[in-house]
Amino acid sequence: MIDLSLIWVVIIAVGVFIYVVLDGFDLGIGILFPFIQDQQERDVMMNTVAPVWDGNETWMVLGGAGLFAAFPIVYSAVLSALYLPILLMVIALIFRGVAFEFRFKANRTKHLWDKAFIGGSVLSSFLQGVLLGAYIQGIHIVDGRYAGGGLDWLTPFSLFTGVGVVVLYAALGCGWLIMKTDHRLQEDMFKIMPKLILGLLFIFACVSLYTPLSQPQIAARWFSLPQLLYFSPVPILVVICSVLALRACAKKQESAPFLYILALLFLAYSGFLISIFPYIIPPSVTIWDAAAPANSQLFALIGALILIPIIITYTIMAYWVFRDKVRVGDEGYH
């Protein structure tokens, strides 16, 4: 018999990963704004994502809708546990979107919208990292309901992972701009990227050490079979990809840094999934415990199998149409 819960976990996991990739470098551009002072170059930075940025968040909606349809206990319990940071993140994303639109229309107040764009990008990225850290720490569930406090999510570990996601998104944005720009802006990104890669290595190392020490259930999964076999190549591959990314920056390769950062993101994400599986609400609720009735999952799956190929198709087409480099003086977003 087909395991619908497992299918939905794969769909949601893939959707979240695509969101992190697409909206990650989008948010990363806002995080990198303070390092570039020239207004024309800032215009170029925004024009690299202007045709596609609002479509990137489609994947966040897909993940949320998937949780609601396939795992309603997760949707209700996790939102209850993380209500405040989720609300602040949504406000930051809205504020950032408004700043994106208004900045191109403003003249005298353009610098204010730049600051709003930076603040919205940094805050939403930071809060996504806080949500990740709080989720890894575990959510206290009793009888399918959240039984913890309103600020259980606020810990040193979640704040650290918040900073980590900001650095990760900045690295994604930096790799994207290396690929999409040239001349002085590209040179600036080549100078920034090695620092971000070294920062990522430090953050990955700290999280990898702290997580098993603070979470015995995760340590037990890491160091038991078969998870140990799945997880053991990850640290080695992280080091290899980091070295290759640094070498690509030194050789001024245009596409390789972004691809290696994507590889690092995939390794970190796969390590995260290995750490928590089969729990969808760590440390106690499995994907089968939280699953909706099979009929509901099947009904939603039919709709997903129709919509997801459409979303993938228009996303690929958008990026293909706007695949060329963006330069100062190009006709941009209006």
Side-chain angles (χ1 to χ4, degrees):
M1 184 176 179
I2 297 175
D3 192 334
L4 294 174
S5 297
L6 198 56
I7 292 173
W8 267 109
V9 164
V10 172
I11 291 173
I12 294 169
V14 171
V16 170
F17 180 76
I18 295 175
Y19 166 76
V20 170
V21 171
L22 299 184
D23 214 35
F25 65 74
D26 187 349
L27 290 166
I29 288 172
I31 297 168
L32 292 169
F33 244 47
F35 300 98
I36 304 298
Q37 299 301 319
D38 185 84
Q39 283 294 339
Q40 287 186 317
E41 291 185 343
R42 286 186 170 186
D43 289 344
V44 170
M45 293 169 72
M46 297 191 79
N47 282 332
T48 63
V49 293
V52 295
W53 74 274
D54 47 355
N56 294 341
E57 292 172 4
T58 303
W59 295 97
M60 177 189 286
V61 176
L62 175 66
L67 279 179
F68 182 76
F71 305 102
I73 292 176
V74 180
Y75 189 86
S76 62
V78 171
L79 261 65
S80 298
L82 306 176
Y83 178 81
L84 184 57
I86 290 174
L87 178 62
L88 293 174
M89 181 193 71
V90 171
I91 292 172
L93 287 172
I94 293 171
F95 201 72
R96 175 181 175 276
V98 171
F100 195 108
E101 299 288 343
F102 277 48
R103 181 185 179 277
F104 285 103
K105 310 297 182 184
N107 291 314
R108 289 178 300 175
T109 59
K110 195 170 187 177
H111 67 285
L112 296 177
W113 291 113
D114 279 351
K115 293 180 175 63
F117 183 66
I118 293 167
S121 300
V122 173
L123 183 59
S124 54
S125 303
F126 176 74
L127 288 169
Q128 287 181 22
V130 169
L131 292 170
L132 173 63
Y135 186 78
I136 292 172
Q137 288 176 153
I139 297 172
H140 185 43
I141 304 296
V142 176
D143 296 330
R145 297 173 180 268
Y146 176 57
L151 294 177
D152 284 3
W153 55 271
L154 187 59
T155 65
F157 179 72
S158 67
L159 296 177
F160 183 78
T161 54
V163 174
V165 169
V166 172
V167 176
L168 173 62
Y169 284 178
L172 283 169
C174 196
W176 172 258
L177 290 172
I178 287 172
M179 193 168 57
K180 293 288 289 182
T181 64
D182 53 17
H183 301 312
R184 189 175 67 179
L185 179 56
Q186 187 187 60
E187 287 295 324
D188 289 339
M189 294 299 112
F190 271 126
K191 294 175 183 176
I192 294 171
M193 178 63 96
K195 300 180 179 67
L196 294 173
I197 293 170
L198 294 175
L200 275 180
L201 272 177
F202 173 75
I203 290 164
F204 287 167
C206 290
V207 172
S208 298
L209 289 173
Y210 179 82
T211 301
L213 292 175
S214 63
Q215 305 293 323
Q217 70 278 10
I218 291 180
R221 286 196 291 276
W222 278 16
F223 303 112
S224 62
L225 296 175
Q227 287 88 344
L228 181 61
L229 296 176
Y230 301 148
F231 192 77
S232 55
V234 171
I236 299 170
L237 291 173
V238 165
V239 173
I240 291 173
C241 288
S242 300
V243 171
L244 291 174
L246 291 170
R247 183 179 298 176
C249 290
K251 292 182 177 180
K252 302 296 176 66
Q253 297 174 354
E254 294 192 339
S255 300
F258 184 64
L259 296 177
Y260 287 130
I261 293 298
L262 289 181
L264 285 173
L265 172 59
F266 175 77
L267 291 169
Y269 191 67
S270 61
F272 163 71
L273 294 179
I274 292 169
S275 299
I276 64 170
F277 188 82
Y279 297 98
I280 197 167
I281 307 180
S284 58
V285 181
T286 68
I287 59 175
W288 300 283
D289 294 333
N295 289 340
S296 298
Q297 288 187 332
L298 182 60
F299 178 79
L301 182 61
I302 294 170
L305 293 177
I306 296 171
L307 289 175
I308 290 174
I310 296 173
I311 298 171
I312 292 173
T313 301
Y314 84 66
T315 300
I316 292 173
M317 287 181 62
Y319 280 91
W320 176 255
V321 169
F322 297 100
R323 65 189 179 278
D324 293 332
K325 284 185 176 291
V326 182
R327 298 176 175 88
V328 173
D330 286 352
E331 184 177 355
Y333 185 76
H334 298 289

